[in-house]
Amino acid sequence: MATLAAGTASRRRNNTGPAHRGDWRLAAVLILPATVGFIVFGAVPVFRGIYLSFTRFRILTPPRWTGLDNYRRLLSDDVFWKSLGVTVEYVVLSVVLGLAVSLATAVIMHRLTRSTVVRGIVLLPFLVSGVVAALVWQWMLDPGLGIVNIVVKALTGHNVLFLGSQGWVIPTLSLIGVWKSMGYNAILIFAGLQTIAPQIYEAGRIDGASEPRMFRYLTLPLLRPIMAMVVVLTVIGSFQVFDLVAVTTKGGPANASNVLPLYIYSKGFTEFDFGYAVTMSMALFVLLLTITFVQLRLLRANESDTN
Amino acid sequence: MSRSRFIRAAALTAAVITAVAGCSGGSSGDSTEATTVNWWTWSPDQAIAYQQCVPAFEKANPNIKVKITNYNVSDYFTKLTSGFVSGDAPDAFMNSVTFLQSYAGQGQLLPLDDYIAKDKLDLGQYAIGAEGWKYKDGKQYALPMDWATGALYYNKDLLAKAGYTDKDVASLNWTYDGGGTLWKMVKHLTVDAAGKRGDQPGFNANTVKSYGLGNIESTGDPFGQNAWGWLLPNDGVNIPDKQQWATVFNYNDPKVVKSVQLVRTLANDGFTPKLNQFTTANSQQLGSGKVAMAVGGTWEAATYAGLKNTKIGTAPLPAGADGKRALMTNANGNNMWAGSKHPDQTWKWVKYQESEECQTTAAKYNASLFPSIAASMKALSDQQTAKGVDFSVFNNYLTSGELVPCPIYNNGAALTNAMIPQFEAYFTNKADESIFPKLQEQSRTLLAEEK
């Protein structure tokens, strides 16, 4: 290793000027930790994962090669497809609602106040740990004792099983998710709004455009790169939802909130069916890869659009 | 100059980090020094209870220290598995029979037969549970720690108001054909906002103020143990085809279908709360008068007895049509890990823990377990009776011969995870009886899966 490095160094010395002499050493030292980290925690697990997805792996005994069995099982596993459907429903609700709420919040902040205190308050839910937020919401939504249900009962005369009925559980969970991430997204959009030059609005006003019209034809197009980034982040984050569901419903009732990460976890860690759990992770990986790729293409299109 | 110093510093830092990260578990296998036996449980109450046994044990075995650790049940088995893999699982631990097959089948448990033979330990001293810890290879993998089944807890005032005596509750029956006298009593005990009882004309199921029975629709395992599944075997309705290593769960048996229908109808008609309607424990619902009776575990006896402002009665689970009971009894086991570095010392602790002396000490400390050893159970029962808690039901359970061991089967976790959501769908009226043939087929596949 050392001789090899020395050899490379002597060959290189001829091509580089004295100012850059020895740069490769510093570069190697600086890159080394990240490279080791990437290989140990990134590359090796991915390749081992790909291998394990073709095996029956019960973790306590060595994996046994089973070819495409796990993938065949995946195609005919009703719970997996239902779980995927539930996850997509959660993602769509979270992204649409999250985006609308964050945008509205950011625009209102932008128009009414520059106060850092207000910005801090808006950001507050994001700073709360996911498990704590889930527990607090679970208490507030409790059908018998929760404050939300006391209000709902006073208004309608009925309790609502927010987390306990098939119809309500995913909308409720995505609202909690939106509540939690809304502040962060709003701050991102707010920062985007601040980059828009006031002269543009001035020009709009001179041309006699109304506020809603300016929002539609000036603000939104100019915000598109930021919005696209927020969408990408929200989609990936929502697909990976775990703590919220694990704390509040554990996938119930009747698998109505059994999102994909939770299903993967329970196959792996409660049934010791790691081979199949890895296969599902691979499916999720490919799915996210595709979605992100498509979104990045859209993002690039947006940038050229606004310039 | 400064650059080379930086490189050296960086290299040094990296070296230090590597050294720290690579820190090793020190070896402690020296026999002259004190060894530590690690023991795990998921029950916080039992962790404290067994801690009471430690001083006497350590005094008798000065070279052995015992460390008891408690993890929440939802993380317990994950933690155990990762311990098996990484090599730092506890030397011995409390286990549920659900995981016997997956742990013993993968060589993680130490068979105890040699130790039992060497010390001439009499498994006959355990009134119940020893048989259930024998694996397919015929070896004994655990000493039974306790026994547990269900009981009927009831609010004495609410029952007196409805005109029932303690004797009425004790002589209830339940049949898959109509629900027996239990169902009648539950309906009469249900009261709506206008004061009408469930069996009176004009009863409004939408405004129930006090339900006759706590919800029994939860399904903690493939056949509703700890809820509806406690009723069925008493009337001869059994879901597994065999007591040990079943090949199919007969969900589509007409008796099973009728039983499960009865349970759902009771909730639909407003005589029990709906699934997930209350998030508080059954004992709290009983204490606040929201329900008049509840099916609960024997391990909850002390909790129910401790309810303030409410007089609680305890009755046996309802008998079947023939007046007999089959009380499905679960016994947790004290397992030893095959990878333990000190099996001999660990065995000493396990043997002491499941001895009459320690069982009596632990059980009497907080009544968090019912010992398998009859003498220890009697000691607990005497102590509780002196405190004014009625333990006669539990004593009768042990002497009447009505306790039957829980079924043992393959692939417990997968079956549980597959069945719970489908029963939830049925009980919340999102699925109908057509799912039962499918469940039965699914169970056949999962039970056949050998690891």
Side-chain angles (χ1 to χ4, degrees):
Chain A
M1 180 69 195
T3 51
L4 184 75
T8 322
S10 63
R11 237 177 295 127
R12 269 204 160 185
R13 200 161 291 154
N14 304 331
N15 309 339
T16 48
H20 296 288
R21 190 173 299 156
D23 262 6
W24 66 272
R25 266 176 193 263
L26 178 59
V29 168
L30 290 178
I31 292 171
L32 189 72
T35 314
V36 169
F38 172 72
I39 291 172
V40 173
F41 298 109
V44 171
V46 166
F47 286 110
R48 187 162 161 76
I50 293 174
Y51 161 66
L52 287 176
S53 72
F54 294 101
T55 65
R56 178 126 186 85
F57 183 40
R58 304 272 305 162
I59 203 161
L60 298 176
T61 37
R64 184 163 48 81
W65 185 264
T66 55
L68 286 170
D69 270 10
N70 283 331
Y71 288 93
R72 259 182 238 120
R73 187 173 155 203
L74 186 77
L75 293 178
S76 61
D77 181 358
D78 295 343
V79 181
F80 171 79
W81 294 107
K82 162 139 200 208
S83 178
L84 189 62
V86 165
T87 315
V88 169
E89 189 191 342
Y90 176 86
V91 171
V92 169
L93 279 174
S94 301
V95 172
V96 172
L97 284 173
L99 216 57
V101 174
S102 324
L103 183 62
T105 313
V107 170
I108 291 170
M109 273 202 300
H110 186 62
R111 278 293 144 116
L112 297 183
T113 174
R114 302 259 152 143
S115 141
T116 37
V117 176
V118 173
R119 259 184 279 170
I121 291 171
V122 168
L123 199 57
L124 216 54
F126 180 69
L127 303 177
V128 179
S129 115
V131 173
V132 173
L135 280 174
V136 170
W137 274 104
Q138 193 179 17
W139 271 105
M140 295 204 299
L141 296 172
D142 187 282
L145 310 163
I147 177 99
V148 176
N149 254 311
I150 290 173
V151 173
V152 168
K153 186 154 190 191
L155 293 176
T156 66
H158 291 286
N159 288 335
V160 178
L161 300 181
F162 285 106
L163 294 167
S165 67
Q166 274 107 315
W168 275 102
V169 64
I170 284 295
T172 306
L173 286 173
S174 59
L175 278 178
I176 300 176
V178 166
W179 171 82
K180 195 165 151 21
S181 60
M182 174 271 281
Y184 180 70
N185 292 337
I187 295 292
L188 286 180
I189 300 173
F190 181 75
L193 286 172
Q194 284 182 318
T195 63
I196 301 174
Q199 292 89 327
I200 294 175
Y201 291 107
E202 238 165 74
R205 244 171 256 125
I206 290 167
D207 284 349
S210 63
E211 281 283 328
R213 229 180 131 75
M214 282 201 289
F215 176 75
R216 169 71 188 81
Y217 291 102
L218 294 178
T219 313
L220 275 188
L222 289 170
L223 260 186
R224 258 150 89 179
I226 290 278
M227 294 295 274
M229 184 186 75
V230 171
V231 171
V232 171
L233 289 178
T234 317
V235 167
I236 295 178
S238 310
F239 259 108
Q240 293 172 343
V241 60
F242 178 78
D243 47 1
L244 182 58
V245 188
V247 170
T248 52
T249 66
K250 300 198 166 53
N255 280 343
S257 63
N258 193 12
V259 290
L260 214 42
L262 194 74
Y263 187 45
I264 293 171
Y265 170 82
S266 70
K267 273 286 168 213
F269 288 90
T270 69
E271 298 177 26
F272 313 126
D273 201 349
F274 279 86
Y276 187 53
V278 170
T279 309
M280 288 195 286
S281 309
M282 285 297 145
L284 184 62
F285 175 64
V286 171
L287 192 77
L288 282 182
L289 209 63
T290 318
I291 292 174
T292 310
F293 178 74
V294 170
Q295 282 174 333
L296 286 178
R297 288 297 293 268
L298 291 177
L299 177 71
R300 227 172 285 145
N302 280 330
E303 277 174 349
S304 63
D305 206 34
T306 47
N307 288 337
Chain B
M1 188 65 209
S2 69
R3 184 182 286 157
S4 75
R5 210 193 296 148
F6 176 81
I7 293 172
R8 233 179 292 140
L12 193 69
T13 316
V16 169
I17 290 170
T18 321
V20 171
C23 75
S24 58
S27 64
S28 55
D30 215 332
S31 58
T32 52
E33 277 173 41
T35 46
T36 301
V37 169
N38 275 300
W39 189 79
W40 285 9
T41 172
W42 64 80
S43 160
D45 296 332
Q46 294 192 25
I48 312 170
Y50 283 114
Q51 191 64 48
Q52 312 308 312
C53 298
V54 173
F57 176 77
E58 286 183 348
K59 210 172 158 201
N61 302 278
N63 280 335
I64 309 177
K65 294 256 169 294
V66 175
K67 187 165 177 258
I68 295 178
T69 313
N70 162 237
Y71 292 104
N72 192 325
V73 67
S74 53
D75 308 319
Y76 185 81
F77 294 100
T78 311
K79 204 128 176 80
L80 210 51
T81 314
S82 56
F84 292 152
V85 176
S86 64
D88 45 39
D91 300 293
F93 54 93
M94 179 156 116
N95 192 13
S96 161
V97 86
T98 312
F99 294 94
L100 169 62
Q101 179 255 338
S102 63
Y103 292 170
Q106 297 195 82
Q108 294 303 316
L109 303 182
L110 196 69
L112 306 180
D113 302 76
D114 293 346
Y115 285 114
I116 292 170
K118 204 178 81 193
D119 290 358
K120 298 196 177 61
L121 187 75
D122 176 18
L123 287 183
Q125 68 173 317
Y126 305 108
I128 183 118
E131 197 57 26
W133 285 95
K134 207 167 247 180
Y135 186 54
K136 290 176 212 173
D137 56 10
K139 289 181 180 152
Q140 185 75 30
Y141 279 96
L143 297 182
M145 304 190 66
D146 54 7
W147 63 278
T149 184
L152 205 53
Y153 297 101
Y154 56 96
N155 183 320
K156 284 194 169 197
D157 293 334
L158 288 179
L159 264 81
K161 231 185 262 173
Y164 293 118
T165 64
D166 292 342
K167 236 182 119 196
D168 292 331
V169 195
S171 56
L172 283 173
N173 68 18
W174 180 86
T175 59
Y176 65 84
D177 224 358
T181 50
L182 173 67
W183 253 224
K184 287 208 184 77
M185 185 183 278
V186 167
K187 288 176 187 174
H188 189 65
L189 283 170
T190 307
V191 183
D192 72 7
K196 285 249 188 277
R197 292 194 171 274
D199 51 1
Q200 289 174 333
F203 165 75
N204 185 350
N206 294 320
T207 64
V208 174
K209 212 177 74 206
S210 174
Y211 294 92
L213 186 70
N215 183 282
I216 52 169
E217 291 176 323
S218 77
T219 306
D221 74 353
F223 25 86
Q225 209 203 156
N226 299 4
W228 55 274
W230 262 330
L231 299 175
L232 273 53
N234 295 309
D235 201 33
V237 183
N238 286 305
I239 292 177
D241 66 336
K242 282 189 292 190
Q243 176 59 32
Q244 298 201 329
W245 316 116
T247 58
V248 65
F249 289 169
N250 292 313
Y251 293 112
N252 202 32
D253 177 339
K255 289 184 189 176
V256 174
V257 175
K258 269 189 178 175
S259 307
V260 180
Q261 272 174 332
L262 271 179
V263 170
R264 182 169 92 168
T265 313
L266 200 69
N268 281 347
D269 292 350
F271 301 119
T272 75
K274 301 237 174 340
L275 192 65
N276 299 335
Q277 182 174 336
F278 293 144
T279 46
T280 48
N282 269 343
S283 55
Q284 281 161 300
Q285 296 167 30
L286 198 67
S288 62
K290 289 210 153 108
V291 304
M293 297 196 289
V295 172
T298 50
W299 61 91
E300 294 173 295
T303 311
Y304 278 101
L307 287 176
K308 299 220 163 58
N309 311 323
T310 317
K311 268 189 278 170
I312 300 293
T314 312
L317 287 176
D322 58 359
K324 293 209 177 79
R325 295 184 181 84
L327 300 157
M328 219 201 266
T329 308
N330 176 39
N332 294 319
N334 206 340
N335 284 157
M336 281 171 64
W337 178 41
S340 165
K341 290 194 183 70
H342 327 285
D344 296 340
Q345 289 91 331
T346 307
W347 165 251
K348 276 191 182 157
W349 163 245
V350 168
K351 191 179 79 169
Y352 178 71
Q353 232 183 333
E354 308 316 327
S355 69
E356 187 189 327
E357 185 182 322
C358 171
Q359 286 284 295
T360 308
T361 308
K364 279 171 75 173
Y365 181 71
N366 56 7
S368 60
L369 66 135
F370 283 8
S372 304
I373 297 175
S376 304
M377 182 62 203
K378 186 166 181 313
L380 170 66
S381 159
D382 290 348
Q383 178 213 30
Q384 294 293 318
T385 312
K387 274 193 194 170
V389 181
D390 180 13
F391 254 56
S392 56
V393 171
F394 308 127
N395 281 331
N396 292 345
Y397 271 2
L398 206 56
T399 53
S400 66
E402 292 177 320
L403 297 179
V404 295
C406 255
I408 320 173
Y409 48 91
N410 270 340
N411 222 355
L415 274 154
T416 304
N417 285 353
M419 296 309 164
I420 290 181
Q422 308 196 62
F423 273 103
E424 276 178 353
Y426 179 76
F427 284 131
T428 52
N429 301 305
K430 300 283 184 219
D432 60 17
E433 286 75 13
S434 65
I435 64 166
F436 293 121
K438 208 184 105 207
L439 294 189
Q440 186 157 334
E441 273 324 295
Q442 207 180 350
S443 78
R444 204 186 291 278
T445 318
L446 287 171
L447 287 166
E449 250 174 51
E450 284 287 339
K451 297 296 127 45

